[in-house]
Amino acid sequence: MKMKSQATMICCLMLFLATECSHYRSKMHIKDGDKPQHPEGKLKTGRIQEKCHGPCITTSNCSQPCAQHFRGEIGFTCHQNKWQKSTETCTSLSVETLFKDFNSASRLSLAASSIPVHVLDFRAPEPMESVAQGIRRNCPVDYACILDVVKSSEATSGNIAFIVELLRNISTDLSDNVTREKMKSYSEVANHILDTAAISNWAFIPDKNTSSDLLQSVNLFARQLHIHNESENIADELFIQAKGLLINHNTSEKKFNFSVSMNNTTEGILGVIEIPRQELWKLPPNASQAISIAFPTLGAILKEVHLQNVSLPRPVNGLVLSVILPEQLKQVLFTFEKINKSQNARAHCVGWHSRKRRWDENACETTLEIMNKVKCLCNYTNMVMSFSILMSPKSIENKVLDYITCIGLSISIFSLILCLIIEAMVWSRVVVTEISYMRHVCIVNIAVSLLIANVWFIINSNFYKKVQDSNWCVALTFFSHFFYLSLFFWMFFKALLIIYGILVVFRRMMKSRMMAIGFAIGYGCPLIIAGTTVAVTVPEKGYMRPDACWLNWDNTKALLAFAIPALVIVAVNLVVVLVVAVNTQRPSIGSSKSQDLAIIMRISKNVAILTPLLGLTWGFGIATLIEDTSLIFHIIFALLNAFQGFFILLFGTIMDRKIRDALRMRMSSLKGRSRAAENASLSPTNGSKLMNR
């Protein structure tokens, strides 16, 4: 009790002299396996106001002060009529609390002048010396004097920002003689804010560069480390491991093997770094060193703040592995074990570009990928020293779908070309009436639109990586958008013709007027929609997706300019098919079972013919938009739409009796002409003419 009262007096004296008493409070030491959780998955601190007072208006902001013993504030944003926390700068750490075990006079002579005041968001203390000088004075050998304070602090957003700034200052000011003991203490400090329980609080730090700063600071500090043994385990914390090797040009191929768990219970995730023998040949005879660092949780923390589309999810699916190598070495081999081992979790080998603060897919290439592991060959530079693998969880990647799409599009393109050839051959024989003329105009334009759209799809799929950063990608996206919309609007016009043929019997519209309406709908509407989409979204750089030449979804929702018209047309055309089915059924009194069966067959035939011609197969695309949809829906959707050109040839051309009759007559006339020409060439008269010549 006596010691406690003395501590209270000292704290009050500190409060009077330095306007703070934040270091005197009950701190919870977060031990492995004993991490108190907030009900929403955040660290429980008891200091956060759940909401602001007053009305919540969309996009409005407010702030609340932190609870007692914390400096800073909590920012809230109104979203969907609810206050949601957006930023937090609550911190209990300061340079004074780092050196609290020393006498008060010494404590008041230390400072965080190298730590920006705006990051910590509290009143600036009196002019004081740097934190580096405080460490040099109190624990120059191993930084142990700051460990207890840091590890006993709660990993709030404000404290995380403070610790990252602390580590950055150490990396820049205390990296002149980095020993194994210093690196171990440094790793212990970093480990505290890399805890899985602290991940969610990184999102509320106002400075989005903080996670990148941490990675860069660790790499910078490790670069100055001097190792003495051939192989050393430098740091072995739960959320950061570091190893070192001595290498030279005679060294055989070297490996770093890591097995790091994501938390206390799960099995370790493997990561291997290999320095190829041909790279080691580049080293001089004298010994050089290689240092590697593994981060199991940093992938979930890193923010790509300079990515064009920051809302695009690019989850890391393995360890983040850093290497510090001699300048002569340029290539490194990595083996990553996947965290998500789903067969649909396709991997992309990447390197973290410290200047651009984003994952660079050009830094690595994938050399091997199996279900559980990925091998990457990566280029090492001073700007790209950390590597991992990304995955795209929202896209279904499956070889079956690739094969279906490739084979289906090939058959579809061939079928559409054949369809157009047949239409050209029988055109004069089948366009007898206005309705039949417009019907075949629709089929021809549907085939042309789908053919060109399929060609653009193939171009996009194969060349988007080469043209993604140029105006060519805008052109590819525009024409794909335009011709797919044309396909749907010509299907819509065909549905209108069907309704017109059913409802209007005695009065017919002029062919020229029907043609004008058809082309206005089939090409005019798509041009307006596609052109407006380009004009609105290109200035904001939100027209295309970052990973493909196709309409953006995450930023501007430009994809709705295709999805909404397509789905509305599919819905309208479905109603038309139902109307045709009802109109086909002509019940009569006393009808027999054979007549009923004939009606059912006629309805089924009409539905089968109209389904591909009116684009109803695209309705299955709705199921594929739902997350965690079964793969079978994706396969059905791919089958029906990849083979749509074949279905148009089959149901729109071959199964049409009039086209078959006209084609038969056309072939007969061609045979007749060939026989007549052959007979004429063999006739005596023709022979005498040839002789006379």
Side-chain angles (χ1 to χ4, degrees):
M1 291 293 292
K2 186 176 181 180
M3 292 179 63
K4 186 173 182 179
S5 62
Q6 290 175 349
T8 305
M9 292 174 63
I10 293 174
C11 178
C12 293
L13 178 62
M14 291 291 296
L15 178 63
F16 175 78
L17 295 174
T19 68
E20 62 171 284
C21 187
S22 62
H23 62 276
Y24 180 73
R25 64 184 181 90
S26 59
K27 290 184 172 62
M28 185 185 304
H29 186 81
I30 303 177
K31 300 179 180 179
D32 296 338
D34 185 24
K35 302 176 181 64
Q37 298 287 329
H38 190 274
E40 298 178 357
K42 301 179 180 64
L43 291 178
K44 185 176 181 180
T45 61
R47 75 203 173 283
I48 296 176
Q49 303 283 346
E50 290 299 328
K51 61 181 180 179
C52 289
H53 300 291
C56 179
I57 304 173
T58 304
T59 70
S60 60
N61 301 307
C62 74
S63 61
Q64 291 287 317
C66 300
Q68 190 178 7
H69 307 312
F70 287 88
R71 294 177 300 278
E73 63 181 17
I74 308 142
F76 293 86
T77 301
C78 183
H79 181 68
Q80 295 181 350
N81 297 324
K82 292 183 179 179
W83 288 112
Q84 295 184 1
K85 187 172 75 169
S86 56
T87 60
E88 180 198 326
T89 58
C90 298
T91 177
S92 60
L93 291 174
S94 66
V95 178
E96 284 117 347
T97 59
L98 290 178
F99 306 104
K100 68 175 183 177
D101 292 331
F102 301 93
N103 60 67
S104 59
S106 174
R107 210 166 31 241
L108 291 173
S109 67
L110 301 173
S113 58
S114 60
I115 299 179
V117 174
H118 70 273
V119 173
L120 306 179
D121 195 18
F122 65 96
R123 293 187 182 90
E126 297 295 327
M128 304 174 186
E129 298 174 355
S130 71
V131 67
Q133 291 177 328
I135 291 177
R136 284 196 182 101
R137 179 178 303 173
N138 298 303
C139 50
V141 177
D142 56 3
Y143 310 156
C145 59
I146 63 173
L147 286 180
D148 289 340
V149 177
V150 169
K151 293 169 69 174
S152 63
S153 65
E154 297 176 14
T156 64
S157 301
N159 281 344
I160 290 172
F162 180 96
I163 293 171
V164 170
E165 195 65 30
L166 171 66
L167 292 173
R168 187 163 69 172
N169 289 338
I170 292 175
S171 298
T172 54
D173 299 338
L174 298 175
S175 60
D176 49 349
N177 183 27
V178 179
T179 62
R180 179 179 177 181
E181 290 74 20
K182 291 179 180 179
M183 186 67 196
K184 191 175 185 307
S185 298
Y186 192 96
S187 299
E188 288 186 57
V189 175
N191 182 75
H192 178 63
I193 56 177
L194 290 171
D195 195 305
T196 51
I199 291 176
S200 59
N201 287 341
W202 282 83
F204 303 114
I205 300 175
D207 185 1
K208 300 307 177 185
N209 292 329
T210 303
S211 55
S212 180
D213 290 341
L214 173 65
L215 178 59
Q216 192 170 356
S217 298
V218 175
N219 290 342
L220 178 64
F221 193 73
R223 181 185 287 277
Q224 305 303 321
L225 174 65
H226 299 285
I227 60 176
H228 305 285
N229 300 324
E230 183 176 346
S231 177
E232 288 189 23
N233 288 328
I234 302 164
D236 191 16
E237 300 298 322
L238 191 60
F239 303 106
I240 178 173
Q241 292 184 5
K243 298 181 180 182
L245 288 173
L246 289 178
I247 54 177
N248 58 49
H249 74 290
N250 291 323
T251 308
S252 59
E253 185 177 89
K254 288 293 185 179
K255 293 184 179 181
F256 295 98
N257 293 284
F258 292 97
S259 178
V260 187
S261 61
M262 303 303 293
N263 52 53
N264 293 334
T265 58
T266 60
E267 188 177 348
I269 300 296
L270 300 178
V272 180
I273 304 173
E274 302 177 48
I275 306 175
R277 183 72 185 91
Q278 60 269 24
E279 287 292 311
L280 292 170
W281 286 342
K282 302 176 182 178
L283 294 176
N286 54 311
S288 303
Q289 64 182 29
I291 299 168
S292 62
I293 309 167
F295 305 90
T297 57
L298 186 59
I301 295 171
L302 280 172
K303 297 294 182 184
E304 299 182 83
V305 294
H306 296 305
L307 192 66
Q308 179 181 356
N309 184 356
V310 294
S311 64
L312 180 70
R314 286 154 61 97
V316 174
N317 200 24
L319 299 176
V320 174
L321 298 177
S322 291
V323 286
I324 294 90
L325 301 173
E327 293 182 357
Q328 296 89 339
L329 305 186
K330 300 300 180 184
Q331 287 193 322
V332 191
L333 287 168
F334 294 88
T335 301
F336 295 97
E337 181 182 359
K338 295 180 181 179
I339 299 171
N340 181 349
K341 297 177 173 60
S342 168
Q343 62 178 349
N344 297 327
R346 186 177 176 181
H348 300 279
C349 300
V350 291
W352 182 263
H353 199 291
S354 58
R355 181 177 297 167
K356 297 179 180 178
R357 299 182 187 272
R358 64 175 177 85
W359 291 112
D360 185 359
E361 294 188 18
N362 296 322
C364 300
E365 62 175 319
T366 304
T367 58
L368 177 66
E369 180 177 1
I370 57 178
M371 180 176 292
N372 296 337
K373 294 181 181 179
V374 180
K375 286 196 172 184
C376 309
L377 177 63
C378 299
N379 297 318
Y380 171 83
T381 66
N382 288 333
M383 290 293 102
V384 184
M385 303 166 60
S386 305
F387 306 88
S388 190
I389 53 174
L390 303 180
M391 72 171 184
S392 302
K394 292 187 178 180
S395 62
I396 298 295
E397 300 289 349
N398 193 287
K399 288 186 177 180
V400 176
L401 296 180
D402 293 339
Y403 291 143
I404 290 173
T405 303
C406 182
I407 296 171
L409 283 178
S410 301
I411 295 175
S412 181
I413 290 173
F414 175 77
S415 300
L416 291 169
I417 294 173
L418 185 58
C419 174
L420 293 174
I421 292 173
I422 292 174
E423 286 288 341
M425 291 175 64
V426 302
W427 185 265
S428 60
R429 297 179 182 272
V430 295
V431 290
V432 181
T433 64
E434 289 85 354
I435 291 295
S436 63
Y437 181 86
M438 291 307 303
R439 177 180 175 275
H440 287 278
V441 167
C442 286
I443 291 177
V444 168
N445 282 280
I446 287 172
V448 169
S449 298
L450 182 57
L451 177 62
I452 299 176
N454 285 343
V455 171
W456 280 113
F457 178 84
I458 293 173
I459 294 174
N460 286 354
S461 300
N462 289 281
F463 299 106
Y464 77 88
K465 287 186 178 180
K466 299 179 182 179
V467 300
Q468 186 176 348
D469 297 326
S470 68
N471 292 330
W472 283 104
C473 195
V474 175
L476 288 173
T477 305
F478 172 79
F479 284 113
S480 296
H481 186 200
F482 172 74
F483 282 108
Y484 273 118
L485 282 179
S486 297
L487 170 67
F488 281 99
F489 275 97
W490 275 109
M491 290 175 174
F492 174 63
F493 183 66
K494 182 171 177 59
L496 295 180
L497 282 178
I498 293 172
I499 292 296
Y500 178 76
I502 292 174
L503 300 181
V504 182
V505 179
F506 299 106
R507 186 179 177 183
R508 295 298 180 189
M509 191 182 297
M510 293 178 61
K511 186 194 302 183
S512 58
R513 184 176 296 180
M514 294 176 71
M515 284 285 288
I517 295 173
F519 277 86
I521 293 176
Y523 293 118
C525 293
L527 184 61
I528 292 172
I529 295 173
T532 303
T533 306
V534 171
V536 171
T537 58
V538 163
E540 301 176 6
K541 295 183 179 180
Y543 182 54
M544 303 166 299
R545 290 171 52 180
D547 60 338
C549 294
W550 184 234
L551 297 172
N552 186 292
W553 170 255
D554 296 278
N555 280 355
T556 59
K557 300 294 186 289
L559 185 60
L560 291 176
F562 170 73
I564 291 178
L567 292 178
V568 170
I569 289 173
V570 168
V572 172
N573 290 359
L574 178 61
V575 174
V576 172
V577 171
L578 295 176
V579 171
V580 171
V582 172
N583 190 71
T584 303
Q585 184 179 2
R586 301 176 186 273
S588 58
I589 299 173
S591 60
S592 63
K593 290 184 178 180
S594 61
Q595 290 176 328
D596 292 339
L597 182 61
I599 291 172
I600 293 173
M601 292 296 294
R602 190 162 60 245
I603 293 173
S604 302
K605 180 181 177 182
N606 288 337
V607 171
I609 291 173
L610 293 177
T611 294
L613 291 177
L614 299 185
L616 300 188
T617 55
W618 288 79
F620 284 92
I622 299 174
T624 64
L625 297 176
I626 303 172
E627 283 193 37
D628 302 324
T629 304
S630 173
L631 182 62
I632 190 64
F633 287 102
H634 293 269
I635 293 176
I636 292 173
F637 180 70
L639 278 170
L640 292 176
N641 290 285
F643 287 89
Q644 188 174 11
F646 171 74
F647 294 141
I648 289 174
L649 172 66
L650 178 63
F651 295 115
T653 303
I654 296 176
M655 290 187 65
D656 190 319
R657 182 176 55 82
K658 293 181 179 179
I659 291 180
R660 291 201 307 270
D661 292 342
L663 188 60
R664 194 179 298 114
M665 293 175 63
R666 177 70 171 171
M667 297 302 292
S668 299
S669 64
L670 289 176
K671 287 180 181 179
R673 290 179 184 178
S674 63
R675 287 176 183 175
E678 183 181 353
N679 293 335
S681 65
L682 296 176
S683 66
T685 305
N686 188 53
S688 63
K689 291 180 179 178
L690 291 173
M691 290 296 292
N692 291 331
R693 290 181 185 178

